[in-house]
Amino acid sequence: MILCGGQGTRMREETEYRPKPLVEIGGRPILWHIMKMYAAHGFDDFVLCLGYKGRMIKEYFLQYHAMNHDFTIQLGNQQAIDFHQPLATESFSVTLAETGDLTMTGGRIRRAARYIDDDLFLVTYGDGVADIDLTALVAFHKQHGKLATITAMRPVSRFGMLDLEPNGLVKQFSEKPQSDAWASAGFFVLDRRVIDRLGDDSCVFEQEPLQRLSQEGELVAYQHDGFFFAMDTYREYQYLNRLWDTNQAPWKVW
């Protein structure tokens, strides 16, 4: 399940006219990159939770082959399309679920839960890429037997950090150091029983549901020491495109 409904307000340069999951890295939507990451580990059955400009995501998949191949189209009474390259090898199964423009993350998961058939499922956001070993993540979840697994990573500071003397003298300067604390990387594995703990459309998954799971001892962190990057700003969009254009994209595991 991929949460695709946010408005991406911090990236208005790119999201004014399209949803953030369709913002492109190397000519492909970041959503495509995320799905390729999952498919590389054998997870290719997707439920996309749509909201803001969700029709554009529907149109992307309805026109998937036409947008990614040269073709000749025959118009008239006997319409036909002849694609000139082999069709894309992706064997994705994609369910596109309208979950409301203003629905919060927990509400989106609850609304789309009717399309989940298995006892456990994976959830992530439509704006973050990583080189997480998703096979190991799921194995870790099955091993500990709790209801939920959250992937944790050590974030890198956006700023240079200073260690100061009382008189203001700089003892040490660190340019954007990695934090000692752990933060959520947004890649979850959930037992379907978690769905029963979600409220209405105003339910924020990252607040009461995860807090309650933690208090009950049902939330375990999978520690990821590799690459993770969320595309929240235009500057971060540019950074991810530079990595892709220079063949340095760590998330390209396919």
Side-chain angles (χ1 to χ4, degrees):
M1 186 177 290
I2 304 178
L3 299 170
C4 300
Q7 296 190 21
T9 54
R10 286 179 289 183
M11 277 193 64
R12 278 306 186 193
E13 301 93 335
E14 290 293 322
T15 59
E16 184 71 28
Y17 303 106
R18 57 181 166 178
K20 192 199 283 190
L22 291 187
V23 174
E24 294 184 349
I25 301 173
R28 296 271 196 162
I30 189 171
L31 176 60
W32 177 87
H33 291 261
I34 296 167
M35 295 170 72
K36 290 285 285 186
M37 287 162 36
Y38 275 99
H41 290 271
F43 305 110
D44 55 8
D45 188 357
F46 299 96
V47 177
L48 307 186
C49 302
L50 306 182
Y52 174 72
K53 298 188 182 297
R55 289 186 178 182
M56 295 184 69
I57 297 177
K58 288 183 175 180
E59 290 169 358
Y60 171 76
F61 285 101
L62 286 171
Q63 302 174 15
Y64 188 82
H65 289 307
M67 293 298 102
N68 291 291
H69 297 84
D70 294 345
F71 63 88
T72 298
I73 183 169
Q74 176 66 47
L75 302 178
N77 293 331
Q78 296 181 343
Q79 294 189 20
I81 298 178
D82 179 21
F83 293 100
H84 294 297
Q85 300 111 320
L87 293 181
T89 58
E90 290 85 15
S91 58
F92 301 158
S93 172
V94 188
T95 300
L96 297 110
E98 293 285 358
T99 57
D101 284 358
L102 302 178
T103 307
M104 296 292 101
T105 49
R108 293 191 191 283
I109 295 172
R110 181 186 54 78
R111 280 200 184 199
R114 62 186 181 276
Y115 300 114
I116 299 296
D117 297 323
D118 296 324
D119 290 333
L120 65 84
F121 61 104
L122 289 75
V123 176
T124 194
Y125 304 100
D127 62 358
V129 288
D131 60 355
I132 296 170
D133 186 339
L134 295 166
T135 302
L137 170 63
V138 172
F140 174 81
H141 175 85
K142 292 179 177 179
Q143 183 178 34
H144 66 61
K146 303 297 185 180
L147 291 181
T149 297
I150 183 172
T151 302
M153 55 86 186
R154 297 187 189 273
V156 175
S157 173
R158 293 178 57 200
F159 308 100
M161 304 301 292
L162 305 176
D163 184 6
L164 301 178
E165 297 279 10
N167 62 2
L169 186 68
V170 178
K171 291 172 58 179
Q172 182 178 349
F173 175 82
S174 300
E175 173 61 12
K176 299 182 180 178
Q178 190 174 49
S179 172
D180 292 331
W182 292 91
S184 171
F187 288 80
F188 302 91
V189 184
L190 304 177
D191 186 291
R192 69 173 299 109
R193 287 174 289 176
V194 171
I195 297 167
D196 296 331
R197 297 164 178 255
L198 303 176
D200 58 18
D201 288 355
S202 64
C203 173
V204 179
F205 178 61
E206 301 80 5
Q207 295 180 2
E208 197 273 340
L210 286 184
Q211 291 168 4
R212 180 149 47 101
L213 287 166
S214 175
Q215 293 165 0
E216 295 173 355
E218 291 290 347
L219 179 63
V220 182
Y222 175 82
Q223 298 177 5
H224 173 62
D225 291 316
F227 178 85
F228 166 77
F229 205 85
M231 186 181 64
D232 288 325
T233 66
Y234 186 73
R235 185 175 183 177
E236 291 162 347
Y237 153 80
Q238 292 177 311
Y239 173 70
L240 289 175
N241 272 279
R242 283 197 301 271
L243 288 179
W244 184 266
D245 293 341
T246 56
N247 296 315
Q248 300 180 68
W251 68 89
K252 189 179 184 300
V253 295
W254 57 89

